[in-house]
Amino acid sequence: MSTSETTSPGYNQAELAEHLGLRAWQVAVGREFGLIPAPDLDPRWSAAAAAALTGEADRIRAAVGAEYPIGLHRAAGRLAGRGGLDVIPADVAALAEQGVLTVAARYTSNGRSHDLFAPAQLDRVANEQAGALAAVVAERIAWIVAGLSIADAATALGWQRQDQFLEFAQWRGLVQKHGHYARTDLEALLTDRG
């Protein structure tokens, strides 16, 4: 064990990583992926828990990969490069919402939380779940094609100022995705007003 008589028993995250031959971030991502249980001596892992994980190091390493997790923009670029599709950050977020991708880590900057994704998992999705990726991209494109941009929607409803239209749209519960509103929703508003 890497602890001395004067420190707490068990392993902290860095010590567990060293024990397993992993990097500390791989342990953190392994926890997010459910491959490593929560510390049993909170906030540390006991020697028994660490020993039980020793045989799992290769599986953890294979699942989380050798590259540190990346944000939405880089994840979209990685999926686009491997899948040959026009993938944007919103598509990555949609895959996460559907459970196709797992958020590997989060970081906070300027009071906002940002999701990070494991490159190894992104590669697996591009290779093994290309259909799910293509469906998300197709759904986004279909929404945009069938909708009106914020500016066009405001004009169609007779609003000269987009900010006022956006307040109205929110008040009426209009759904906006990818900077577009559904034409059918806008047509229903025009019918109600007519």
Side-chain angles (χ1 to χ4, degrees), residues 8-135:
S8 300
Y11 297 81
N12 66 23
Q13 183 170 297
E15 292 165 341
L16 180 64
E18 183 180 338
H19 172 77
L20 297 175
L22 299 172
R23 298 177 77 187
W25 71 262
Q26 289 173 313
V27 170
V29 173
R31 285 196 60 200
E32 290 290 334
F33 282 9
L35 302 170
I36 297 175
D40 56 337
L41 300 175
D42 197 21
R44 301 173 71 82
W45 286 268
S46 67
L53 289 168
T54 301
E56 299 294 312
D58 288 339
R59 186 171 69 89
I60 294 164
R61 193 177 296 104
V64 304
E67 297 174 74
Y68 191 81
I70 58 179
L72 284 172
H73 290 278
R74 288 185 54 210
R78 191 166 184 124
L79 287 171
R82 282 162 177 73
L85 297 168
D86 181 23
V87 182
I88 66 171
D91 299 329
V92 177
L95 289 169
E97 287 173 14
Q98 293 175 9
V100 174
L101 284 174
T102 303
V103 174
R106 289 185 175 83
Y107 80 93
T108 302
S109 173
N110 297 326
R112 292 187 60 214
S113 178
H114 302 275
D115 294 338
L116 300 176
F117 299 89
Q121 187 184 41
L122 293 165
D123 295 346
R124 281 193 299 277
V125 167
N127 294 330
E128 300 167 12
Q129 294 180 287
L133 175 59

